[in-house]
Amino acid sequence: MSERWDAIVIGGGPAGSTAGSLLAKAGRRVLVLEKAPFPRHHIGESLLPGLSPLFKRLGVVGDLRRAKFFVKTGGSYLWGRSRAPWSITFADLEEAPGYMVGRDETWAWHVERARFDELLLNAARRRGAVVRQPASVLDVALSGGRVDGLSVRGPDGRTRTERAALYLDASGQAGLLASRLGWRRFDGQLRNMAVYTYYEGARLFTGPRRNHIFIENIEDGWVWFIPLSERRVSVGVVTSLSNAPQARAGLEAFFLARLARTKEASARTAKARRVEPFRLERDWSYRSRRFAGENFLLLGDAAAFIDPLLSYGVTLAMHSAELAADCADGALAAPAKREALFAHYDAAHGARFDELRDFTKFFYDGNRRRESYFWKARRIADHAKNRYAKAAFTFLVSGHPHWDSLYARGYFKRFFSPLGVPARLRRDRRFLAALAASGRPDLALIDDPLPEPRKRAA
Ligand SMILES: Cc1cc2nc3c(=O)[nH]c(=O)nc-3n(C[C@H](O)[C@H](O)[C@H](O)COP(=O)(O)OP(=O)(O)OC[C@H]3O[C@@H](n4cnc5c(N)ncnc54)[C@H](O)[C@@H]3O)c2cc1C
């Protein structure tokens, strides 16, 4: 039976909308299935500057500006062995040699996810993706490692089967395919949960730190303080999952007891008014054994999730969706290359995820000296051999993929090197922007051999 769709994307969160938009933009018949009516609440509000190039590619910069989300310019921390507060400013990257981060890529937004997610999904609709909502994927038909079809309850309440050449699972923590296949592995070291709420009238930081995310460690975890607007802040407590029974017995008492242990966050919310209920969210990091199967890819949280300490969630989800959409588009154009493209996705997104998860684990040890976080970042990300390790830290927590990563090299190799572009220009952002503006990279360029996928235990 011929498929009606080139690709079906399960889930219309940031990863699903990104994949839907890019595939539709490439001329593919793409169906996005989202079970929740939007707008809907979602946690994950502090974005990273590394999303800027992708926002441009998705054509949503104007929408995001009009939404007037609160601009994020850096991060402030009461973290590490010394109890003195410290900060990083993304704009410093402009001055740091070798990172090639443009001025408009050195800030991000703190967003209300209900509005942000709706905006991205609407952009996918505008690009030509067919979005069904509310539409739940109830079951996945699998045979011999292939997805054969999805059983979907649509907006009319009727259940029908949908089939496509390729399937992209962006169902978030539900992780439909990874769960069905038994591929998900939980991380014993990052086994946490979060209790959070929203306040109005909190005392924001002043000066350059006003627009920063602020995090502060406490005895048994840490606390976030995220300004969402001049009036509203998001405040959350992250602690071990083993505290869940105690938290469930009384979320408010549990939250307030931990907030009281903070120096800054408690003082800043002392006279503020809580405007939403307390919510509890499981925050247990995990990774699927693989991110690709014969005719499907796993994206965003459906593939892997890192504890939100360094706010990588949405950025990684959307970057993975971008790479997945490009690989899926390539596979639809040249089915013989599907295996290599999917192996590239698995290896490239896997390597980036593992690196950032390991860095998050290193940062989790709040007893280190601040400089040791900087030097660790320099070992990971500083191909430019900057004198100041803090620049490498700032770069790594900005969410820009570093050019030496398999992720970035995959892009250059697949799309740019066959053009015979001199190495010097391949790292020139103005050149790349001009190339991107000239149309999508010709799929014939995929003839270039792909990096060897890393061998993984079966
Ligand atoms: C406590 C906490 C704090 C966080 N803070 C941050 C932060 O500050 N910054 C940040 O970047 N990230 C943060 N994150 C992570 C962030 O929430 C996620 O990484 C991000 O939302 C992943 O996007 P996604 O599109 O992969 O999944 P989601 O945003 O979860 O979207 C998945 C979508 O799939 C839909 N879906 C699920 N099952 C089905 C189905 N069967 N059929 C159809 N649709 C389905 C869901 O309704 C949902 O809309 C935080 C996470 C936690 C737990």
Side-chain angles (χ1 to χ4, degrees):
M1 173 178 159
S2 72
E3 294 98 1
R4 183 161 162 214
W5 306 103
D6 292 324
I8 298 179
V9 181
I10 309 170
S17 310
T18 301
S21 264
L22 295 178
L23 283 166
K25 193 176 169 199
R28 302 294 170 193
R29 295 165 304 164
V30 56
L31 173 66
V32 179
L33 301 166
E34 168 53 55
K35 75 172 179 189
F38 280 9
R40 55 99 175 85
H41 172 82
H42 202 296
I43 190 61
E45 295 146 336
S46 194
L47 306 185
L48 298 178
L51 282 174
S52 308
L54 179 53
F55 286 149
K56 284 182 213 156
R57 190 174 171 199
L58 292 170
V60 294
V61 175
D63 295 339
L64 288 164
R65 284 185 190 276
R66 279 188 290 279
K68 297 200 179 335
F69 292 123
F70 206 66
V71 167
K72 171 178 176 180
T73 52
S76 292
Y77 311 89
L78 246 180
W79 195 275
R81 195 184 294 170
S82 143
R83 293 314 288 160
W86 53 281
S87 297
I88 55 116
T89 307
F90 296 129
D92 289 347
L93 291 173
E94 260 186 84
E95 311 298 324
Y99 289 125
M100 290 161 300
V101 174
R103 178 164 298 169
D104 59 346
E105 297 169 355
T106 57
W107 52 274
W109 280 289
H110 300 294
V111 297
E112 267 175 56
R113 283 288 301 274
R115 287 199 290 142
F116 177 75
D117 288 17
E118 188 171 38
L119 182 157
L120 289 183
L121 195 56
N122 284 339
R125 280 191 180 96
R126 281 204 308 273
R127 291 266 175 229
V130 176
V131 178
R132 276 206 202 124
Q133 189 181 22
S136 285
V137 177
L138 303 177
D139 199 9
V140 183
L142 284 161
S143 76
R146 284 178 62 82
V147 175
D148 266 352
L150 306 175
S151 163
V152 182
R153 189 175 53 228
D156 57 3
R158 288 173 50 199
T159 301
R160 52 174 72 81
T161 301
E162 294 287 354
R163 290 195 175 82
L166 299 176
Y167 299 84
L168 282 75
D169 183 358
S171 61
Q173 296 233 2
L176 231 59
L177 276 164
S179 306
R180 266 296 299 278
L181 292 159
W183 283 0
R184 189 174 277 187
R185 304 281 182 268
F186 285 93
D187 191 313
Q189 276 182 39
L190 295 175
R191 199 168 174 270
N192 294 324
M193 58 168 218
V195 181
Y196 65 97
T197 187
Y198 298 85
Y199 289 93
E200 279 185 9
R203 201 159 47 80
L204 300 192
F205 287 89
T206 51
R209 291 195 293 160
R210 186 172 185 79
N211 295 58
H212 286 190
I213 183 174
F214 172 74
I215 63 173
E216 173 169 6
N217 55 354
I218 54 173
E219 210 173 275
D220 63 347
W222 57 278
V223 171
W224 78 68
F225 179 96
I226 300 174
L228 294 176
S229 71
E230 293 292 340
R231 286 179 61 74
R232 187 178 166 92
V233 293
S234 162
V235 182
V237 163
V238 177
T239 176
S240 164
L241 196 54
S242 60
N243 291 323
Q246 193 197 340
R248 286 205 182 90
L251 286 184
E252 178 164 9
F254 184 86
F255 176 93
L256 292 177
R258 275 152 189 85
L259 185 64
R261 290 178 200 162
T262 63
K263 192 171 149 202
E264 283 284 351
S266 54
R268 293 192 173 275
T269 48
K271 295 195 177 140
R273 189 167 60 92
R274 184 167 60 80
V275 289
E276 292 218 14
F278 292 98
R279 292 185 170 94
L280 187 145
E281 194 92 32
R282 190 169 77 154
D283 163 21
W284 188 353
S285 304
Y286 56 79
R287 184 200 202 286
S288 173
R289 201 159 58 81
R290 295 168 57 194
F291 295 160
E294 201 177 317
N295 62 346
F296 62 88
L297 296 167
L298 313 184
L299 289 49
D301 281 9
F305 168 74
I306 316 182
D307 184 281
L309 181 58
L310 292 170
S311 308
Y312 284 129
V314 174
T315 305
L316 259 186
M318 292 182 68
H319 280 168
S320 75
E322 179 183 25
L323 185 58
D326 287 342
C327 289
D329 184 34
L332 289 164
K337 299 191 192 308
R338 181 191 45 73
E339 200 178 336
L341 284 162
F342 281 21
H344 172 71
Y345 174 72
D346 180 50
H349 180 47
R352 179 142 187 252
F353 175 84
D354 291 346
E355 184 175 277
L356 297 180
R357 181 208 46 216
D358 292 350
F359 185 61
T360 301
K361 284 185 182 177
F362 186 87
F363 194 69
Y364 238 99
D365 182 348
N367 282 319
R368 296 179 198 271
R369 287 172 54 245
R370 182 190 334 174
E371 287 70 23
S372 66
Y373 305 125
F374 298 167
W375 283 104
K376 175 75 174 177
R378 189 176 188 273
R379 278 196 294 279
I380 295 173
D382 193 21
H383 52 85
K385 303 284 171 280
N386 276 290
R387 225 170 104 207
Y388 301 107
K390 188 176 178 186
F393 180 87
T394 306
F395 182 74
L396 206 58
V397 299
S398 75
H400 285 288
H402 57 93
W403 297 119
D404 282 355
S405 67
L406 185 55
Y407 176 88
R409 269 186 285 135
Y411 257 80
F412 287 119
K413 237 173 142 28
R414 270 188 302 125
F415 297 134
F416 300 122
S417 65
L419 285 176
V421 178
R424 180 177 51 82
L425 274 182
R426 264 181 259 151
R427 291 184 167 207
D428 182 312
R429 293 187 87 83
R430 272 169 310 183
F431 169 78
L432 295 177
L435 195 63
S438 71
R440 89 188 153 107
D442 189 339
L443 288 170
L445 302 182
I446 292 174
D447 280 339
D448 195 41
L450 291 154
E452 264 305 295
R454 280 185 324 163
K455 295 274 176 283
R456 230 194 282 289

